[in-house]
Amino acid sequence: MKVMKFGGTSVGKPERMKHIASLLQKETEPALVVLSALSGTTNALVSIGNHIAANDRHSALQTITTLQEHYYSFIKELLQSETTYNKAKAIVDEHFDFLNIILKISFSEALSKDILAQGELLSTKIFSCYLEEIGESYALLPALEFMSIDENEEPQIGTIRTRLTQLINQNKDKKVLVTQGYICRNARGEVDNLKRGGSDYTASLVAAAINASVCEIWTDIDGMHNNDPRIVNKTVPVEQLSFDEAAELAYFGAKILHPASIWPAQQYKIPVKLLNTMEPEAKKAH
Ligand code: ADP
Ligand code: ASP
Ligand code: MG
């Protein structure tokens, strides 16, 4: 089984989500697909949490409403059949009802983590509706049932392996398994996360836990570049990198990879490939 992680920009537009599904349909190997939230969503959820913490409920409500409108138009464009559209609409309503209820509750750290989790919960459920619409054989594995961190915020690979293997075994007949990146449960059993950009870390951890054939990180650029393309002109992709070199670049700010995401793959000897969702045949860095 391979692990395929798609980042925010890769799922951020309906046509991109459809494109991912078509990539999956071409796959011959079963895949565990890790999804980020739609691009912009986690930033919006951070600001909702900040507004609530500052007791600015009006701004929080405004941000929630704008985000909800975005999801309504997203599912309208993504889904053609009435059945799957209605399903997705109910999902969007359920998650935004939750955010609106939170507005009435006093702020806590735990509550802010619940807010942040909504992005990946929404993206995976909406993507599942699309897979259903096109008749793809899939199952949604809830990350909150198997991704866990201990009291030092370290992932518990052993526990993750046991729980995830059980879920995979229950879905042996499915070609595509979908799960949320970024979110997990902490030692107190509360909803938590692996920090910003943490979906890469989820991908690498689950790849290590299930001994995947490869961990593919699909993003909006053709691999790790020799410099940050947002700052430096004319950067070029680096074709091959050692795990140590990749970890060093990520640690010193190469945003393409979450800095912690290298060690599980390195320790458990899982090859990591960085691929461009928009150009699947572009040079693959690994
Ligand atoms: P995703 O949403 O797929 O996780 P990110 O935005 O987190 O994508 O990471 C990809 C972005 O990382 C690229 O669009 C690029 O602007 C930025 N980036 C920063 N440094 C590098 C680098 N050295 N190589 C490639 N991309 C980099
Ligand atoms: N959605 C989370 C973030 O924006 C995790 C991720 O995309 O990797 O940080
Ligand atoms: Mg990222």
Side-chain angles (χ1 to χ4, degrees):
M1 178 171 276
K2 56 154 73 173
V3 170
M4 301 170 82
K5 178 260 172 175
F6 295 91
T9 43
S10 304
V11 292
K13 296 226 166 78
E15 73 265 19
R16 297 208 177 162
M17 222 180 227
K18 290 182 186 178
H19 180 66
I20 293 175
S22 76
L23 287 175
L24 294 175
Q25 285 181 312
K26 285 184 210 132
E27 278 299 330
T28 45
E29 197 178 346
L32 175 55
V33 176
V34 176
L35 297 187
S36 290
L38 313 193
S39 54
T41 296
T42 309
N43 286 345
L45 295 170
V46 168
S47 76
I48 291 165
N50 289 342
H51 289 316
I52 298 178
N55 212 17
D56 181 358
R57 312 262 151 177
H58 177 72
S59 301
L61 179 61
Q62 263 182 346
T63 314
I64 293 171
T65 309
T66 309
L67 193 63
Q68 186 165 13
E69 291 302 327
H70 177 66
Y71 277 84
Y72 282 148
S73 46
F74 188 96
I75 57 169
K76 202 159 204 171
E77 202 178 323
L78 179 75
L79 300 157
Q80 255 72 64
S81 108
E82 205 179 318
T83 323
T84 46
Y85 173 78
N86 287 339
K87 217 176 211 180
K89 166 89 170 37
I91 289 164
V92 171
D93 285 340
E94 180 197 326
H95 286 276
F96 281 90
D97 282 351
F98 172 76
L99 289 173
N100 281 303
I101 286 168
I102 272 184
L103 272 183
K104 302 190 174 76
I105 302 173
S106 54
F107 183 80
S108 72
E109 208 45 54
L111 202 59
S112 79
K113 305 278 178 65
D114 280 322
I115 296 173
L116 292 176
Q118 302 309 306
E120 273 69 14
L121 292 170
L122 277 162
S123 65
T124 49
K125 290 184 189 179
I126 290 171
F127 184 60
S128 297
C129 289
Y130 183 67
L131 292 179
E132 187 176 321
E133 180 164 296
I134 62 170
E136 180 66 47
S137 147
Y138 81 94
L140 179 58
L141 310 186
L144 296 178
E145 287 182 19
F146 65 86
M147 281 302 294
S148 56
I149 51 174
D150 63 19
E151 49 285 341
N152 301 315
E153 302 196 329
E154 290 300 328
Q156 301 174 300
I157 288 255
T159 315
I160 296 169
R161 172 180 297 120
T162 312
R163 293 192 183 147
L164 182 54
T165 307
Q166 216 167 17
L167 289 171
I168 291 173
N169 286 339
Q170 286 164 7
N171 291 286
K172 273 209 160 90
D173 55 325
K174 305 293 191 316
K175 203 186 124 209
V176 175
L177 301 176
V178 181
T179 194
Q180 297 86 15
Y182 179 58
I183 61 174
C184 62
R185 283 198 189 273
N186 62 27
R188 293 181 296 281
E190 300 157 343
V191 172
D192 210 320
N193 62 65
L194 301 173
K195 310 272 167 23
R196 296 304 306 270
S199 297
D200 301 326
Y201 198 17
T202 301
S204 158
L205 287 165
V206 296
I210 65 168
N211 194 24
S213 58
V214 62
C215 177
E216 295 182 349
I217 307 286
W218 290 79
T219 181
D220 61 351
I221 189 167
D222 51 353
M224 180 82 84
H225 280 218
N226 59 336
N227 237 314
D228 188 336
R230 294 165 303 174
I231 297 166
V232 179
N233 279 333
K234 295 193 182 127
T235 60
V236 288
V238 184
E239 210 166 310
Q240 289 253 2
L241 279 169
S242 70
F243 282 118
D244 287 337
E245 288 165 331
E248 193 170 329
L249 276 166
Y251 181 76
F252 287 108
K255 192 200 166 210
I256 188 171
L257 276 180
H258 182 288
S261 66
I262 300 297
W263 78 257
Q266 180 172 29
Q267 192 171 329
Y268 291 83
K269 300 192 170 57
I270 313 289
V272 177
K273 283 190 183 171
L274 301 173
L275 296 133
N276 188 339
T277 314
M278 290 299 110
E279 291 176 61
E281 293 315 314
K283 265 204 167 12
K284 299 168 173 119
H286 50 271

